[in-house]
Amino acid sequence: MRLPGMPLHDPFVVADEVSRTYHLYTSNVPSVSGVDGNGTMVYRSRDLRDWTRPVVAFLTAGQEGIWASDGAWAPEVHAWDGRFYLFTTVHDEGRPLPLPPPNRWGVPFRTPTHARGTITAVSDSLLGPFTVLDPSRPVPPEHLMTLDGTLHVDAAGQPWMVYAHEWLQTIDGTMEAIRLSPDLSRAVGDPVHLFKASDAPWTSEQIPAGVPHQLPPYITDGPQLYPAPDGSLLMLWSTYEKNVAGPDGTISGGYVQTYAVSRSGKLTGPWRQHRPLVRDDSGHGMLFRTFDDRLMMILHRPFDDARGKLYEMRLDGHELEVLRRRDDLDGGG
């Protein structure tokens, strides 16, 4: 299989040095994996060009007492303390959350929200099966509607989950972080605010004066942390860049891949926003290094019926840029 023929939303790559094999995780697609159910499937490759048919590494239906079984979005797998940990987002539309008070513009919330958050699961193998550590609740606070949790380990060795707090509760979506217990099963303490989507000034720079900037919403999506050679900390993330679609002033937006930098190297920032790396309805990307030490970014495009796209990258200090699109690997188009 090659990337143009592989359904691939929210891709995440683990380059396993032991087997010299790339493991590419995404949400289970039963028509591709041959296994019914919500969960995680994983493709494998030695060269980033030719991939095996995926195997299923996790199914929500196999987790006794799990609080939610829908979704299983944005799977990531991280090595920690000698084992492998899966982070994936599940939700339950039958568990409504209370509507929050009016937002900072005084606009009341009318869109119903429901339980959504990232869970953690563990396995001794990159191929699973993964077992949920705490099936009774998500890791972030239950009253928050969150998604796309990722792992970050700070300089002191403390693990954190960084996640997106849904715009459905905030209008101006945020990135937040919360400390994790040593076994990654639960949150410790209160969430820490990192930044909000509108902190990126380019998100609305094309909107004319007088148009309410709070609509459409500011979205935070797909965080991934990556240390820079100069000691800074990078965060890849995605949002919607707003622009005017027509003469009637209707505002629309395009999904983009962007990044932010904490020059202090600390998760708490302060975070400085950079301009988008890739537009064209692209996003939820992550960085990884190839076995010959090339820095690569994989993301999905388009948002609907997504396929993986690979880019060769350069990181100069804390400045990240696209060197070239790897059409030879991702099929072009």
Side-chain angles (χ1 to χ4, degrees), residues 39-266:
T40 301
M41 65 183 190
V42 53
Y43 301 94
R44 285 166 290 166
S45 175
R46 295 295 184 95
D47 58 8
L48 296 176
R49 180 178 174 86
D50 295 297
W51 298 85
T52 63
R53 186 163 294 280
V55 298
V56 172
F58 171 77
L59 288 174
T60 59
Q63 310 299 314
E64 184 176 355
I66 191 167
W67 65 273
S69 58
D70 292 333
W73 299 338
E76 301 187 1
V77 172
H78 301 271
W80 173 257
D81 198 24
R83 306 186 80 187
F84 298 105
Y85 289 80
L86 170 73
F87 288 46
T88 189
T89 300
V90 296
H91 63 94
D92 181 355
E93 293 185 9
R95 295 178 60 181
L97 297 175
L99 287 176
N103 64 32
R104 61 189 174 96
W105 293 282
V107 177
F109 286 84
R110 304 187 188 280
T111 304
T113 57
H114 56 268
R116 175 180 293 163
T118 299
I119 56 175
T120 54
V122 67
S123 177
D124 291 321
S125 168
L126 283 166
L127 300 180
F130 288 88
T131 302
V132 174
L133 292 168
D134 183 357
S136 68
R137 54 168 294 166
V139 174
E142 293 178 88
H143 67 283
L144 303 181
M145 193 179 191
T146 63
L147 78 168
D148 296 350
T150 188
L151 177 67
H152 173 67
V153 181
D154 67 21
Q158 169 66 51
W160 295 75
M161 179 181 285
V162 177
Y163 58 86
H165 188 176
E166 283 275 46
W167 63 272
L168 290 165
Q169 281 189 324
T170 63
I171 294 294
D172 197 353
T174 60
M175 286 298 182
E176 299 173 5
I178 198 162
R179 291 178 177 84
L180 295 177
S181 60
D183 67 355
L184 310 188
S185 67
R186 59 185 176 84
V188 178
D190 296 322
V192 176
H193 173 86
L194 304 183
F195 60 83
K196 58 187 184 297
S198 65
D199 287 345
W202 47 264
T203 55
S204 58
E205 63 188 7
Q206 297 184 60
I207 297 178
V211 175
H213 289 201
Q214 72 269 30
L215 297 173
Y218 291 91
I219 291 173
T220 47
D221 185 63
Q224 189 228 359
L225 286 298
Y226 195 87
D230 68 353
S232 299
L233 183 63
L234 274 61
M235 184 194 299
L236 267 67
W237 68 287
S238 291
T239 188
Y240 281 81
E241 183 178 31
K242 302 175 186 178
N243 50 62
V244 177
D248 61 353
T250 301
I251 297 173
S252 66
Y255 193 52
V256 299
Q257 179 64 62
T258 188
Y259 77 109
V261 176
S262 168
R263 293 292 302 275
S264 69
K266 297 178 180 178

